[in-house]
Amino acid sequence: MEYFLHILVITGIYIILTLSLNLVVGYTGLAVLGHAAFSCMGAYVSSLLALNYGISPWIGLFVGACVAALLGVVIGFPSLRLKGDYLALATFGAGVIVYSVAKNWVAVTRGPMGLPGIPGFSIFGVQLSGVWEYLILVAAFVFITYFVIRRIVKSPFGRILRGIREDEVAALAMGKNINKYKIIVFVVGAFFAGIAGSLYAHYITFIDPSSFTVMESITILLMVVFGGMGSLAGSFVGAAVLVIFPELLRFLGMPSSVAAPLRQMIYGLLLIVLMLKRPQGILGTYRWK
Amino acid sequence: MIEQVLANGLIVGTIYALTALGFTIIYRTVRFFHFAHGVVYACGAYFAYSVLRIAYSGGGPPLHEATADLRYATTWVVAIFAGVIGAGVLGVVIDRLVYKPLRKRKAPNLVFLLASFGVFIFIQNLLQLIFGAQILTIRAGPVKEGHHFLGAVITDVQILILVVSSLLSVALWVFMQKAKLGKAMRAVADDRLAASVVGINPERIILAAFAIGSALAGAAGILISLETNIEPTMGMNAILKGIIASIIGGIGSIPGAMFGGLFLGIAENLGIWKISAGWKDCIAFVILIAFLLLRPGGIMGIKTEKEQL
């Protein structure tokens, strides 16, 4: 039971990541491949604040998300001028750079040894310890993320985003400053990814760079594409299926040396089949152009 | 010290150049990022390893003894051919199974890229499942001390890498300029429609491009595994460096790919020397992003770049 709840918490964190990436990829049509960089930033900032300065994870979470958003500005401002494959490659590169900073800046991040003993959240002086409490916490954040992103995509602002996605030149001709919109969307996505990273760090109580590799970014993108590009419900489906389904492999009694690559193989195969058969995903409304 | 840094940069640069060349040959004809090229490279090394493993049940004979004993030599030749041809066949199979159906549907570039990621992840983890995640090696025997040459120390294997990859690069260049197939490949790269008007079948050219490009990747994979180790994740680094080298040189340009590879290898090694080895990938990507933003056409870019960016 404990294990099942743990999987649900992880699913919740991935739903936040998938929703925020869907805003960028699915609703605005930007091919972005470095989402794990932002969760990495959020996780490290909030953990280091808690470990080194004893700052409450609540504040750390917010600061972490803001720093992730700032990183979004730093990465987005130059790279969003690029399009298509090149944007994908530049953001992929940004992901590698952030990962290698986390891995090599040993004086601060302790590099591959990771940061152990990250304190958990507490409410009114009571430490959250059980997996149940975290499930409720993560669910609350999933709800907030869903609510905010829903508001964005249903608003006139969201219509402009879809306009950029469908026809950038037309949106430009309507007098919209598309670069501004792209950066805002990118930064909002980065902010929520930062929240997800921070939740992960304080829940697991240990982080190391290996949780934020480029493969992780590809997995999040796969969740968006699988669930459906430009579909909020799809993000829930995508994250849930791709987190829970591979866990079933464990119940088949496979050792982790077999289960881990097998899980990745399933992801890879799924990505190929999706691209061949249904590039917009299960509930998707948008195809790549 | 600077001589050694330049020598190391040059050696690793020729391997990057070889990977970038294979990638470029394919990119020119199909116009999307064949990311799975990296895993083809890894497979080249693993195919060669498998042959040596079967022949000698664990580790191959030392390469330098291969020249002394004919039996060793034949095994090595078989292993190298298995790696190169196996990689070529794998490239073609990937194209037929995954890219061809997408091509028929005129899928956009990003769909190709994601499908390519899928292929990459699938095969890389298949390698891990079969061979395990641990580091393997195809070089056996003691590491010999290198030769002193213009103030740098270079080992036999490094000389071999330098010579073979330079020869392959030059051979490819001549092939593209002089051979009928090479000319046809250039024609398709320039203008697919016009090429088909004069009777060149684009599908056949794509097949040839995948075969030749992937075989080059296999050769690069074997060469690098003579120098370092092989592991399932080796393809990621290779393809990233290959793509970066191609973009630095000017994507789609053959001399550009060679030049970009050497440039990247030397720049990386200068960075390692001045900063630290851990930042290697970081340096490569900073160079990439700088090029994408300031000079997206690369140093020797072909002209179609403007419209794509």
Side-chain angles (χ1 to χ4, degrees):
Chain A
M1 191 61 193
E2 189 92 330
Y3 172 70
F4 181 68
L5 292 175
H6 166 74
I7 297 303
L8 283 183
V9 174
I10 297 294
T11 307
I13 292 172
Y14 273 105
I15 289 174
I16 299 176
L17 288 168
T18 309
L19 280 170
S20 57
L21 187 62
N22 205 343
L23 177 67
V24 182
V25 176
Y27 283 96
T28 322
L30 304 171
V32 165
L33 254 178
H35 214 50
F38 304 120
S39 55
C40 179
M41 197 52 136
Y44 269 94
V45 167
S46 130
S47 312
L48 288 171
L49 284 177
L51 286 172
N52 294 350
Y53 304 102
I55 290 171
S56 152
W58 293 103
I59 300 170
L61 178 117
F62 185 72
V63 175
C66 287
V67 177
L70 203 65
L71 181 69
V73 177
V74 172
I75 295 175
F77 192 70
S79 59
L80 286 172
R81 294 191 344 211
L82 303 167
K83 290 198 184 75
D85 294 358
Y86 291 87
L87 175 61
L89 199 61
T91 47
F92 189 96
V96 173
I97 292 173
V98 171
Y99 167 77
S100 66
V101 170
K103 196 172 158 194
N104 290 305
W105 197 9
V106 179
V108 172
T109 64
R110 287 180 25 101
M113 291 174 292
L115 296 171
I118 302 164
F121 286 93
S122 57
I123 295 177
F124 303 123
V126 182
Q127 192 79 17
L128 294 190
S129 51
V131 71
W132 263 114
E133 284 119 10
Y134 272 96
L135 187 59
I136 294 166
L137 181 76
V138 169
F141 275 103
V142 168
F143 181 76
I144 295 169
T145 312
Y146 172 73
F147 184 74
V148 172
I149 289 180
R150 198 183 124 89
R151 276 303 291 264
I152 293 175
V153 299
K154 300 279 181 204
S155 67
F157 183 87
R159 271 203 300 280
I160 297 169
L161 300 184
R162 285 198 295 283
I164 293 173
R165 179 182 81 182
E166 299 301 334
D167 192 337
E168 220 178 286
V169 178
L172 201 60
M174 301 298 270
K176 303 298 176 195
N177 182 350
I178 54 169
N179 272 340
K180 191 182 85 185
Y181 285 96
K182 283 182 182 176
I183 289 183
I184 292 174
V185 160
F186 196 67
V187 168
V188 170
F191 182 84
F192 283 105
I195 290 181
S198 172
L199 284 172
Y200 175 81
H202 292 290
Y203 169 62
I204 302 288
T205 73
F206 172 79
I207 49 169
D208 69 342
S210 71
S211 311
F212 307 103
T213 57
V214 284
M215 276 298 164
E216 195 60 27
S217 297
I218 296 175
T219 308
I220 302 168
L221 184 64
L222 173 62
M223 288 172 183
V224 172
V225 176
F226 176 76
M229 304 235 290
S231 156
L232 293 178
S235 291
F236 282 84
V237 174
V241 171
L242 290 182
V243 173
I244 295 169
F245 178 69
E247 290 296 330
L248 299 177
L249 290 176
R250 235 182 266 253
F251 289 107
L252 296 176
M254 274 177 210
S256 71
S257 64
V258 176
L262 209 57
R263 171 198 175 118
Q264 294 289 330
M265 278 170 71
I266 293 171
Y267 283 172
L269 205 58
L270 198 59
L271 200 49
I272 301 171
V273 172
L274 269 177
M275 288 302 115
L276 284 172
K277 299 295 174 199
R278 203 175 159 80
Q280 75 272 41
I282 296 177
L283 300 170
T285 53
Y286 166 66
R287 285 164 179 262
W288 301 97
K289 277 197 298 287
Chain B
M1 193 58 203
I2 182 82
E3 295 89 350
Q4 188 65 49
V5 171
L6 289 178
N8 290 350
L10 204 63
I11 290 156
V12 71
T14 52
I15 300 262
Y16 290 164
L18 214 51
T19 324
L21 276 175
F23 173 79
T24 297
I25 294 280
I26 295 171
Y27 179 86
R28 282 159 61 95
T29 43
V30 292
R31 298 274 156 180
F32 66 85
F33 288 152
H34 173 43
F35 203 85
H37 193 63
V39 86
V40 172
Y41 161 100
C43 282
Y46 273 98
F47 288 147
Y49 169 81
S50 307
V51 170
L52 293 171
R53 175 78 187 264
I54 291 163
Y56 293 99
S57 53
L63 183 63
H64 56 265
E65 284 181 22
T67 43
D69 189 323
L70 195 66
R71 216 182 69 242
Y72 284 161
T74 18
T75 324
W76 271 97
V77 168
V78 171
I80 288 166
F81 267 87
V84 173
I85 293 172
V89 171
L90 181 66
V92 171
V93 168
I94 292 172
D95 176 56
R96 293 289 113 161
L97 289 183
V98 181
Y99 299 145
K100 197 179 176 189
L102 290 177
R103 228 171 11 246
K104 265 192 186 152
R105 283 217 322 265
K106 298 200 181 346
N109 271 5
L110 282 164
V111 168
F112 279 104
L113 181 65
L114 284 188
S116 192
F117 272 124
V119 173
F120 184 95
I121 297 171
F122 181 79
I123 300 181
Q124 174 175 313
N125 286 285
L126 187 64
L127 285 177
Q128 191 174 332
L129 200 63
I130 297 171
F131 295 96
Q134 77 273 28
I135 290 169
L136 301 171
T137 179
I138 62 174
R139 74 196 147 113
V143 177
K144 286 207 303 178
E145 206 208 328
H147 308 282
H148 291 267
F149 183 74
L150 292 179
V153 181
I154 303 177
T155 63
D156 287 343
V157 171
Q158 290 176 329
I159 292 172
L160 184 78
I161 290 175
L162 213 55
V163 170
V164 172
S165 42
S166 311
L167 279 180
L168 281 176
S169 305
V170 172
L172 185 76
W173 172 243
V174 173
F175 168 78
M176 292 301 279
Q177 293 301 321
K178 300 290 174 199
K180 197 173 175 198
L181 182 59
K183 282 180 183 166
M185 286 169 79
R186 283 196 293 141
V188 171
D190 275 348
D191 190 334
R192 192 183 292 189
L193 188 68
S196 59
V197 168
V198 296
I200 300 170
N201 178 357
E203 278 298 320
R204 265 194 58 212
I205 297 301
I206 291 173
L207 189 87
F210 270 94
I212 296 171
S214 304
L216 283 176
I222 296 171
L223 284 175
I224 196 72
S225 52
L226 293 175
E227 169 77 1
T228 60
N229 301 307
I230 54 178
E231 51 183 326
T233 51
M234 69 195 279
M236 177 63 99
N237 190 41
I239 184 60
L240 290 178
K241 300 301 160 63
I243 292 180
I244 295 174
S246 314
I247 289 179
I248 291 176
I251 193 149
S253 150
I254 289 177
M258 289 184 209
F259 181 78
L262 295 179
F263 180 91
L264 183 63
I266 291 171
E268 251 186 26
N269 273 279
L270 284 174
I272 294 172
W273 180 40
K274 287 289 178 199
I275 311 169
S276 113
W279 297 97
K280 204 168 81 173
D281 295 344
C282 209
I283 296 164
F285 272 101
V286 169
I287 296 175
L288 169 74
I289 291 175
F291 263 90
L292 280 180
L293 296 174
L294 303 175
R295 202 176 156 79
I299 296 169
M300 304 178 187
I302 52 173
K303 51 182 179 295
T304 49
E305 262 349 275
K306 270 278 181 258
E307 66 203 45
Q308 284 207 331
L309 275 170

